[in-house]
Amino acid sequence: MIPVQGFEGQVVAVLGLGRSGLSAARALKAGGAKVVAWDDNPDARARAEAEGLTVRDLSRAGALDGVSALIVSPGIPHLYPRPNPVVAAAWVAGVPVDNDIGLFFRSFAAGFDAYDSPPRVIAVTGSNGKSTTAALIHHLLQEAGRDAQLAGNIGRGVLDIDMPGEGGAVVLELSSYQTELARALTPDIALFTNLTPDHLDRHGGMGGYFAAKRRLFAEGGPDRAVIGVDEDEGRYLANQMAMGAGDDRVIRVSAAQKLTGPGWQVFARKGFLTEWRKGRQMAAIDLRQILGLPGAHNHQNACAAYAACRAMGMAPKVIEQGLHSYPGLPHRSQVIAESEGVLYVNDSKATNVDSALKALLAFDRIRWICGGLEKEGGLAGLQPGLPHVVKAYVIGREAAGFAMQLPGVESETCTTMERAVTAALAEAQPGEVVLLAPAAASFDQYDNFEQRGDDFTSRVKAALEA
């Protein structure tokens, strides 16, 4: 645990008692704060009381009297589409509003003056690829023998981690919800993967969404910034952070173009990762044979992770060895089996058209299991990937309607995962890929995408072992 500094003897309110809220309450208490907590869910309040926390309805008049700070969980809106009433009351009362990420950066460096090599924080944000990039950096550091912990929007809560030792590293995945509100953001290395529309109602539009991501760099002042430059927002951010073309405090990353110039660049083309620095090629890695990182979108993740590890002083050969041993993140282009020339891939996290398209473009001959609770906007965006599909096996309660939106694709309305897996495995030929990339939410049949991916994985493995 990272005890929160600066609130000893003061009353601090915590709104929202999920994973991050409870973690913040514990860390505040460990740092000597007097914690009062609230959640609209009575079960969450009961869990907090069982841990000895004081529960107080923060929505009541005067509930924030004498409170030094309000700590808000990520899922609670504080501005758009409308501020939570407790947050609005804090503004009126002059109570500072923060979150667990702000508390972490406020407290993390306490006592590091005695270290010869202080621990470093690598923070990853962006729209797509955050989880894979953060997990890959963590894996590469551990494979190189470095003390590393993974936290934030993946792994453990940021305040639940152990205080790192000499030369250690903390890798954080940070969502826009987390970066937008944190009052302290001071990573040593900050990464921006890419930007595509998401959570726009929460941020008041695309500009607000990008502004939330940009705070990690503009207010964080990292020693090194790794920035994906395949969209205008990334190019803008890299330009804002660099003092000139040769400023190698900014490492530009691309999976769509060759990058040139006197600065520091890492890019992937035709399956090869290349590092250029000060006009010279420093390293090249063949990514095509790395099963845990298939497709151009994962090659971008590999470039970003490689750049972060190079900024940490790791040698290219050491990074390359670690890339080959990366198993893939569960439910994200995860290779779960290979049998008789057929590859089986679980990408249940592909819950929207954009992420499913990336999965389709990663392979050539696909037996595609898709469908579920369709999101707004339809499926037209999948069109560039459909030529890669040999056949679609559609699941979900609206499977027939989903299949009708896949022009030119042979499809079978399976409805259930059991029928889809049975049919796909029976028809798959050597050289093909059986891919779960639903392009839809899971809630019509499953509690979450993880449960859907686990169902696919268990049925595939059972069938192959039969």
Side-chain angles (χ1 to χ4, degrees), residues 190-357:
L191 280 80
F192 174 86
T193 57
N194 50 56
L195 200 79
T196 57
D198 205 1
H199 310 305
L200 300 189
D201 59 336
R202 174 65 181 264
H203 297 293
M206 197 69 175
Y209 178 47
F210 176 54
K213 303 287 188 183
R214 183 178 177 271
R215 288 191 76 243
L216 184 63
F217 299 81
E219 300 192 26
D223 296 332
R224 279 254 158 71
V226 177
I227 300 175
V229 294
D230 288 335
E231 295 90 26
D232 284 342
E233 291 85 356
R235 289 186 281 271
Y236 168 85
L237 183 58
N239 182 269
Q240 288 276 297
M241 296 298 295
M243 297 301 293
D247 187 353
D248 65 3
R249 293 174 301 172
V250 175
I251 308 177
R252 291 170 172 82
V253 168
S254 174
Q257 57 189 309
K258 179 180 179 180
L259 300 177
T260 59
W264 197 348
Q265 286 90 215
V266 179
F267 59 90
R269 291 188 72 201
K270 298 181 180 179
F272 285 86
L273 179 154
T274 304
E275 176 190 2
W276 281 80
R277 191 174 185 185
K278 297 181 179 178
R280 294 195 305 118
Q281 181 174 320
M282 306 298 291
I285 298 173
D286 186 351
L287 300 174
R288 296 171 299 176
Q289 304 305 314
I290 299 177
L291 287 179
L293 296 165
H297 62 301
N298 273 312
H299 292 175
Q300 183 187 51
N301 299 335
C303 288
Y306 174 95
C309 289
R310 289 289 284 138
M312 288 285 287
M314 290 173 57
K317 287 294 183 185
V318 173
I319 299 173
E320 182 175 5
Q321 290 173 1
L323 289 173
H324 280 281
S325 63
Y326 180 62
L329 202 59
H331 314 296
R332 297 166 174 85
S333 297
Q334 177 192 18
V335 176
I336 59 170
E338 187 174 11
S339 178
E340 297 182 358
V342 178
L343 197 65
Y344 299 86
V345 178
N346 167 23
D347 202 347
S348 185
K349 183 62 169 65
T351 59
N352 57 43
V353 166
D354 183 66
S355 53
L357 175 61

Side-chain angles (χ1 to χ4, degrees), residues 22-373:
L22 274 178
S23 171
R26 295 186 195 108
L28 282 160
K29 191 174 178 181
K34 300 174 183 178
V35 178
V36 295
W38 182 252
D39 194 296
D40 291 338
N41 186 328
D43 291 337
R45 297 198 299 268
R47 288 193 296 270
E49 288 180 319
E51 293 197 22
L53 295 172
T54 299
V55 172
R56 177 195 297 178
D57 186 348
L58 298 175
S59 65
R60 292 183 178 178
L64 296 175
D65 291 350
V67 169
S68 295
L70 173 66
I71 308 305
V72 180
S73 294
I76 297 173
H78 57 272
L79 188 55
Y80 302 112
R82 63 189 59 84
N84 181 279
V86 177
V87 174
W91 297 344
V92 174
V95 175
V97 181
D98 203 349
N99 62 12
D100 62 328
I101 303 302
L103 296 180
F104 168 82
F105 281 111
R106 173 189 181 116
S107 308
F108 178 70
F112 286 176
D113 291 344
Y115 287 15
D116 292 328
S117 179
R120 304 178 77 186
V121 177
I122 304 170
V124 183
T125 195
S127 295
N128 301 309
K130 295 189 302 295
S131 296
T132 296
T133 300
L136 181 55
I137 294 168
H138 178 247
H139 171 81
L140 294 172
L141 290 167
Q142 286 195 318
E143 288 293 289
R146 306 281 288 267
D147 171 28
Q149 299 179 74
L150 181 63
N153 209 38
I154 185 175
R156 303 161 71 184
V158 291
L159 294 167
D160 281 338
I161 67 171
D162 303 320
M163 186 64 77
E166 184 88 20
V170 177
V171 185
L172 302 180
E173 180 199 337
L174 299 181
S175 72
S176 56
Y177 292 5
Q178 294 169 312
T179 58
E180 183 178 43
L181 188 59
R183 296 173 72 91
L185 286 168
T186 54
D188 298 285
I189 300 170
L191 280 80
F192 174 86
T193 57
N194 50 56
L195 200 79
T196 57
D198 205 1
H199 310 305
L200 300 189
D201 59 336
R202 174 65 181 264
H203 297 293
M206 197 69 175
Y209 178 47
F210 176 54
K213 303 287 188 183
R214 183 178 177 271
R215 288 191 76 243
L216 184 63
F217 299 81
E219 300 192 26
D223 296 332
R224 279 254 158 71
V226 177
I227 300 175
V229 294
D230 288 335
E231 295 90 26
D232 284 342
E233 291 85 356
R235 289 186 281 271
Y236 168 85
L237 183 58
N239 182 269
Q240 288 276 297
M241 296 298 295
M243 297 301 293
D247 187 353
D248 65 3
R249 293 174 301 172
V250 175
I251 308 177
R252 291 170 172 82
V253 168
S254 174
Q257 57 189 309
K258 179 180 179 180
L259 300 177
T260 59
W264 197 348
Q265 286 90 215
V266 179
F267 59 90
R269 291 188 72 201
K270 298 181 180 179
F272 285 86
L273 179 154
T274 304
E275 176 190 2
W276 281 80
R277 191 174 185 185
K278 297 181 179 178
R280 294 195 305 118
Q281 181 174 320
M282 306 298 291
I285 298 173
D286 186 351
L287 300 174
R288 296 171 299 176
Q289 304 305 314
I290 299 177
L291 287 179
L293 296 165
H297 62 301
N298 273 312
H299 292 175
Q300 183 187 51
N301 299 335
C303 288
Y306 174 95
C309 289
R310 289 289 284 138
M312 288 285 287
M314 290 173 57
K317 287 294 183 185
V318 173
I319 299 173
E320 182 175 5
Q321 290 173 1
L323 289 173
H324 280 281
S325 63
Y326 180 62
L329 202 59
H331 314 296
R332 297 166 174 85
S333 297
Q334 177 192 18
V335 176
I336 59 170
E338 187 174 11
S339 178
E340 297 182 358
V342 178
L343 197 65
Y344 299 86
V345 178
N346 167 23
D347 202 347
S348 185
K349 183 62 169 65
T351 59
N352 57 43
V353 166
D354 183 66
S355 53
L357 175 61
K358 289 181 171 64
L360 293 178
L361 294 174
F363 305 101
D364 289 328
R365 294 182 54 79
I366 301 170
R367 301 276 173 179
W368 180 30
I369 298 178
C370 57
L373 188 62

